[in-house]
């Protein structure tokens, strides 16, 4: 068992009466790419901000690299990198100047700094944009600069808060390659997203919903742990069929995926029963076939469980 | 510590040069303030419309009136008869200045007695009034000396009895320029620090700075020091413009002025820092900054004399650091006085700077979490 670099117990943050993060308990191992997956407002950013020492927790404890996030925040700061949800670059500075600035701030020594900056500009494919003002660069490039800036001091842990939001799919793919490169170098990466496909790339995932941790495992593990059978249904009026199915007690969840229905069956549910019910409802299925649940199916089912 | 501070200040200078808004505040605003306030006051005033009410009507009084016209400052547009008519001419705006020469003027000068002349001056335009008063006084003194030299009298002169109407305390460019330096400094220091910090909050870079090993103290110093530098440059430029362009003589110690400017600046920067802890965007910051600058303009004695203010306003005015800094500026520049006269002002500025900096540092630290 590798040593945990982040260890969280009953971590809670309230804003007034509202609980944004509710008693989270999990740990992250060294070299892992650990994802937080959850819809808007589920508490991902709040959790990360607490782990970075920006926001004090209301209750619970969190240790990063063995240091308490409240009492020993200074010890944590120089060993972590943080890329906030809004790319925090200075628009009036060029990428090179931004990197130099963050390097200086992290105490990368004077003679080391220029070569470190050049190395990062190369690695993140930023040479062409290196001396243009950041304010004039497209989103995908800015996001790479921000990543490079967060990594300039070669931190033990990188916190990336929705690094790929508002970036086209092709750039997202390339960005994840960079995340993997970084993790392969021994850096632990904690990353938030609300893209299911991205979540699949993570070694382990924390599924979040309304401030609660509803599952924490590898993507495969999460799907497997559902312990339910998934049926893919093709029928003529899927929307109408869906309305009917969600009310059945033996159905755990049903979602519309394109023109097909994904139906998770409970123990007492069978393919036969599903077929019969659909026919009775006036939407006889063309086919009912077992399928592997996707992360999205798991997410929908688990949030439904958590809500009930 | 050194590397972090250097990185921060270097970044701040780059932004200062590349951010249009900041650059405009640094370059355009002081020039505008100087020109607007300075020029409005400093227009060369001559050919002032003047009436006389000559009751003496003899050689001496005519000589006197002629000498008024000879200065070039007064254009005598007519003899209106008596003091009442002279006052009316000013009320109606037909004339700015009236000389009322009593009937015994001729006889008195001839006999070597003090000869009175009443001068009515429209004070609504301070620069006109100032010129009129100065010229008339100089003239009266010169005439007196002249008369004395001619041996006609041993001790007499013309005794001017000036009455400035509407605006009894006149301000001249000499009075205005030092005040302006204070105002420019105050505006710059407050606005620049407010913007420098609020801009980071607004764009989210502040949160990024918080997760770095920068200490709150370094952050504050790194953000403020560059603007202290800029502000000092501006003091220099403003002094140069005041001295060489507007011709304000500098009598006192430059070193003392700079030292006290630093105290004043610290207070103003502290105000900026304080504002930045309670605002989240630049517009709000601008409004709050203006809110602190305006009382300075109105109540410090920059525009209106404090002596003429009602008690409450005077009390408020005595809390405003600009009030004291104006006294320092006018004291050192115009009167050439030193710390022996200005220590109460220096003390207040020091106490204010200390208090506001402590307060803002505490608040700033708290705003980081
Ligand atoms: N400073 C704050 N004051 C009050 N409420 C806050 C504050 N910060 C966050 N919240 C609330 O806490 C909840 C969780 O916010 P958070 O930003 O952590 O969600 P998130 O999962 O990051 O969402 P997103 O995907 O939109 O980034 C939201 O409802 C948000 O409104
Ligand atoms: Mg978020």
């Amino acid at each position: 068992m590798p040593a945990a670099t982040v260890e969280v117990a009953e971590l809670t943050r309230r804003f007034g009466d509202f609980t944004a993060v509710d008693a989270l308990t999990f740990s992250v191992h060294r070299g892992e790419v650990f994802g937080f997956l959850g819809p808007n407002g589920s508490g991902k950013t709040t959790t990360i901000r607490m782990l970075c020492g920006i926001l004090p927790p209301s209750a619970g404890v969190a240790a990063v690299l063995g240091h308490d996030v409240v009492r020993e925040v200074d010890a944590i700061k120089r060993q972590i990198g943080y890329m906030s949800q809004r790319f925090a670059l200075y628009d009036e500075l060029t990428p090179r100047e931004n990197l130099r600035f963050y390097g200086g701030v992290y105490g990368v020594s004077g003679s080391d700094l220029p070569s470190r900056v050049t190395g990062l500009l190369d690695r993140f494919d930023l040479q062409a944009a290196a001396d243009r003002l950041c304010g004039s660069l497209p989103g995908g490039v800015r996001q790479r600069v921000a990543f490079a800036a967060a990594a300039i001091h070669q931190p033990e842990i990188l916190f990336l808060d929705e690094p790929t939001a508002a970036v086209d799919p092709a750039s997202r793919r390339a960005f994840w390659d960079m995340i993997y490169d970084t993790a392969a170098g021994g850096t632990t990466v904690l990353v938030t997203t609300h893209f299911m496909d991205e979540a699949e790339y993570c070694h382990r995932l924390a599924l979040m919903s309304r401030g609660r941790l509803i599952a924490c495992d590898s993507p495969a593990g999460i799907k497997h742990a559902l312990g339910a059978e998934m049926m893919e249904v093709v029928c003529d009026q899927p929307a109408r069929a869906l309305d009917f199915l969600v009310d059945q007690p033996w159905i755990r969840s049903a979602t519309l995926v394109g023109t097909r229905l994904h139906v998770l069956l409970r123990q007492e549910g069978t393919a036969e029963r599903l077929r019969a019910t659909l026919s009775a409802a006036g939407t006889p299925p063309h086919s009912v076939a077992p399928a592997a649940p996707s992360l999205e199916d798991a997410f929908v089912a688990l949030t439904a469980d958590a809500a009930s | 510590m050194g590397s972090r501070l250097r990185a921060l200040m270097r970044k701040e200078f780059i932004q200062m040069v590349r951010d249009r808004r900041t650059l405009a505040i640094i370059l355009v605003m002081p020039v505008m303030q100087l020109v607007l306030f300075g020029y409005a006051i400093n227009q060369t005033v001559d050919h002032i419309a003047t009436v006389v009410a000559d009751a003496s009507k003899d050689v001496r009084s005519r000589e006197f009136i002629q000498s008024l016209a000879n200065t070039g400052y007064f254009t005598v547009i007519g003899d209106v008869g008596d003091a009442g008519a002279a006052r009316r001419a000013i009320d109606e705006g037909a004339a700015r200045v009236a000389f009322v020469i009593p009937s015994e003027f001729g006889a008195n000068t001839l006999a070597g007695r003090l000869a009175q002349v009443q001068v009515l001056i429209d004070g609504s335009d301070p620069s006109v009034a100032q010129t009129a008063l100065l010229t008339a006084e100089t003239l009266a003194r010169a005439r007196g000396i002249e008369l004395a030299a001619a041996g006609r009298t041993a001790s007499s002169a013309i005794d001017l009895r000036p009455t400035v109407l509407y605006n009894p305390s006149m301000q001249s460019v000499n009075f205005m320029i030092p005040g302006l330096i204070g105002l420019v400094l105050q505006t710059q220091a407050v606005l620049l620090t407010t913007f420098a910090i609020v801009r980071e909050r607004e764009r989210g870079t502040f949160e990024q700075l918080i997760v770095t090993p920068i200490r709150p103290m370094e952050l504050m110093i790194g953000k403020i020091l560059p603007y202290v530098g800029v502000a000092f440059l501006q003091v220099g430029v403003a002094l140069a413009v005041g001295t060489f362009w507007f011709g304000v003589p500098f009598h006192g110690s430059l070193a003392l002025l700079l030292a006290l400017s630093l105290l004043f600046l610290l207070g103003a920067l502290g105000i900026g820092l304080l504002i930045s802890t309670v605002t989240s965007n630049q517009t709000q910051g601008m409004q709050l900054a203006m809110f602190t600058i305006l009382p300075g303009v109105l109540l410090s004695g920059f525009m209106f004399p404090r002596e003429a203010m009602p008690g409450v306003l005077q009390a408020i005015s005595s809390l405003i650091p600009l009030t004291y800094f104006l006294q320092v500026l006018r004291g050192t520049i115009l009167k050439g006085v030193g710390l022996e006269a200005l220590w109460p002002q220096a003390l207040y500025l020091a106490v204010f700077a200390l208090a506001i900096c402590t307060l803002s540092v505490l608040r700033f630290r708290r705003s980081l979490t």
Side-chain angles (χ1 to χ4, degrees):
Chain A
M1 186 79 179
T5 53
V6 175
E7 191 100 60
V8 171
E10 298 290 315
L11 188 66
T12 302
R13 174 68 203 202
R14 285 181 282 269
F15 295 109
D17 290 341
F18 176 73
T19 305
V21 171
D22 195 356
L24 298 194
T25 300
F26 63 87
S27 56
V28 181
H29 310 307
R30 194 179 142 75
E32 222 176 5
V33 176
F34 187 89
F36 290 91
L37 176 66
N40 292 104
S42 55
K44 306 181 295 290
T45 298
T46 307
T47 305
I48 292 228
R49 292 179 74 211
M50 285 192 283
L51 294 179
C52 291
I54 301 168
L55 199 67
S58 309
V61 289
V64 171
L65 297 163
H67 301 290
D68 185 85
V69 293
V70 179
R71 282 176 287 113
E72 298 166 306
V73 65
D74 286 337
I76 296 174
K77 279 180 175 177
R78 57 191 79 238
Q79 302 185 70
I80 62 169
Y82 171 55
M83 176 174 169
S84 70
Q85 197 163 353
R86 326 156 53 181
F87 308 141
L89 297 169
Y90 294 99
D91 285 350
E92 305 84 10
L93 269 60
T94 65
R96 194 189 301 280
E97 286 164 345
N98 266 293
L99 293 184
R100 285 193 66 123
F101 168 67
Y102 282 113
V105 156
Y106 278 105
V108 178
S109 73
S111 53
D112 245 12
L113 192 53
S115 62
R116 182 88 61 96
V117 168
T118 312
L120 278 171
L121 289 172
D122 278 338
R123 202 177 119 207
F124 290 91
D125 193 19
L126 287 166
Q127 283 297 2
D131 297 307
R132 288 164 52 196
L133 294 187
C134 277
S136 68
L137 298 174
V141 180
R142 288 169 57 82
Q143 158 225 38
R144 294 206 302 273
V145 179
F147 187 17
I152 184 113
H153 54 301
Q154 298 171 337
E156 291 284 325
I157 307 182
L158 259 178
F159 293 92
L160 309 174
D161 195 1
E162 292 196 26
T164 57
V167 165
D168 63 89
S171 312
R172 271 167 54 196
R173 184 66 243 207
F175 195 84
W176 273 88
D177 287 342
M178 300 191 311
I179 292 179
Y180 268 99
D181 276 359
T182 310
T187 305
T188 309
V189 180
L190 273 77
V191 55
T192 76
T193 180
H194 45 224
F195 295 114
M196 297 291 167
D197 57 338
E198 281 188 3
E200 297 268 9
Y201 305 144
C202 296
H203 297 138
R204 280 199 311 141
L205 268 181
L207 296 196
M208 294 193 60
S209 171
R210 302 174 196 207
R212 310 280 299 272
L213 187 66
I214 54 177
C216 183
D217 203 343
S218 65
I222 286 175
K223 287 180 263 185
H224 182 75
L226 268 181
E229 209 179 345
M230 224 242 338
M231 294 291 155
E232 191 174 75
V233 176
V234 181
C235 64
D236 280 336
Q237 291 167 282
R240 202 179 131 201
L242 181 69
D243 281 346
F244 194 71
L245 290 177
V246 290
D247 292 335
Q248 304 297 324
W250 48 275
I251 287 178
R252 184 162 179 187
S253 74
T255 42
L256 196 56
V257 179
T259 58
R260 289 148 190 255
L261 288 172
H262 280 190
V263 183
L264 273 174
L265 301 177
R266 289 188 196 283
Q267 219 71 65
E268 62 272 29
T270 58
E272 267 325 301
R273 194 165 175 189
L274 184 57
R275 245 185 230 111
T277 309
L278 283 169
S279 301
T283 51
H286 301 300
S287 76
V288 171
S294 69
L295 203 50
E296 184 160 6
D297 296 320
F299 190 82
V300 169
L302 289 167
T303 15
D305 281 1
S308 64
Chain B
M1 159 104 190
S3 120
R4 294 196 289 263
L5 205 53
R6 243 197 333 274
L8 205 58
M9 287 178 25
R10 182 194 159 109
K11 181 219 85 180
E12 210 64 34
F13 274 117
I14 297 179
Q15 281 187 299
M16 209 186 282
V17 177
R18 295 197 191 143
D19 182 63
R20 277 211 204 110
R21 193 163 187 169
T22 306
L23 209 58
I25 293 176
I26 294 176
L27 296 180
V28 181
M29 208 141 120
V31 174
M32 256 170 57
Q33 284 178 324
L34 271 173
V35 169
L36 279 181
F37 285 112
Y39 259 100
I41 300 310
N42 193 42
Q43 71 240 55
T44 347
V45 180
D46 51 11
H47 298 291
I48 301 168
T50 306
V51 294
V52 295
D54 183 5
S56 183
K57 290 198 196 306
D58 54 20
V59 181
R60 309 258 166 259
S61 67
R62 273 196 298 278
E63 241 177 53
F64 178 70
I65 293 167
Q66 187 54 48
S67 64
L68 290 178
N70 287 348
T71 61
Y73 288 105
F74 300 109
T75 301
V76 180
I77 52 176
D79 188 337
V80 291
D82 61 16
R87 172 72 201 244
R88 271 197 302 284
I90 291 182
D91 283 348
E92 289 159 13
R96 300 285 209 153
V97 183
F99 290 87
V100 180
I101 305 169
S103 52
E104 61 279 9
F105 179 86
N108 279 345
T109 38
L110 200 59
R113 286 191 297 272
L114 206 59
Q116 281 191 1
V117 173
Q118 195 193 352
V119 190
L120 297 176
I121 296 172
D122 175 354
S124 57
D125 184 339
S127 50
V128 172
Q130 177 82 4
T131 311
L133 186 59
L134 275 176
T135 315
E137 264 169 3
T138 316
L139 192 72
R141 208 168 299 131
R143 292 285 302 163
I145 293 164
E146 208 176 290
L147 292 174
R152 282 185 235 172
T153 167
S155 62
S156 94
I158 292 173
D159 176 22
L160 277 182
R161 292 296 169 90
T163 310
V164 179
L165 306 167
Y166 310 130
N167 179 4
S169 135
M170 292 166 302
Q171 292 157 338
S172 71
V173 61
N174 284 2
F175 210 48
M176 204 70 182
I177 292 294
L180 211 44
I181 295 174
L183 186 67
V184 167
L185 267 190
Q186 156 115 1
T187 316
Q188 295 285 312
V190 173
L191 274 184
L192 289 174
T193 27
T194 303
F195 278 151
I197 298 171
V198 172
R199 188 177 48 209
E200 301 236 15
R201 258 185 226 294
E202 208 175 42
R203 301 220 194 125
T205 45
F206 209 73
E207 178 156 317
Q208 197 71 46
L209 288 179
I210 295 174
V211 298
T212 70
I214 292 185
R215 292 172 201 290
M217 214 55 192
E218 289 171 338
L219 187 51
M220 265 179 299
I221 295 173
K223 296 234 69 143
I224 283 181
L225 219 51
Y227 297 104
V228 172
V230 169
F232 260 92
L233 217 64
Q234 288 175 327
V235 178
V237 172
L239 279 177
V241 169
T243 313
F244 299 116
W245 186 262
F246 289 110
V248 178
F250 194 105
H251 294 298
S253 147
L254 185 61
L256 177 67
L257 180 58
L258 291 181
L260 294 183
S261 299
L262 184 63
L263 279 185
F264 175 70
L265 263 179
L266 285 178
L269 294 166
I271 293 177
L273 193 60
L274 200 59
I275 292 176
S276 76
T277 63
V278 294
T279 49
S280 51
N281 62 63
Q282 298 190 51
T283 315
Q284 228 177 46
M286 179 76 144
Q287 283 164 352
L288 259 184
M290 282 307 166
F291 187 74
T292 66
I293 292 166
L294 206 59
V297 175
L298 297 176
L299 299 180
S300 65
F302 169 68
M303 299 251 289
F304 312 110
R306 295 183 63 218
E307 300 71 40
M309 290 174 196
V312 186
L313 291 186
Q314 245 182 54
I316 298 176
S317 147
S318 68
L319 295 176
I320 298 174
L322 187 58
T323 304
Y324 300 94
F325 190 52
L326 283 195
Q327 292 163 3
V328 168
L329 282 163
R330 287 172 182 160
T332 48
I333 296 178
L334 302 179
K335 297 187 202 155
V337 294
L339 209 52
E340 73 288 343
L342 294 172
W343 68 264
Q345 284 83 356
L347 188 66
Y348 182 82
L349 290 177
V351 169
F352 183 85
L354 194 68
I356 204 84
C357 284
T358 312
L359 186 66
S360 55
V361 165
L362 289 178
R363 274 209 63 103
F364 186 74
R365 275 174 181 282
R366 206 139 35 98
S367 77
L368 292 183
T369 48

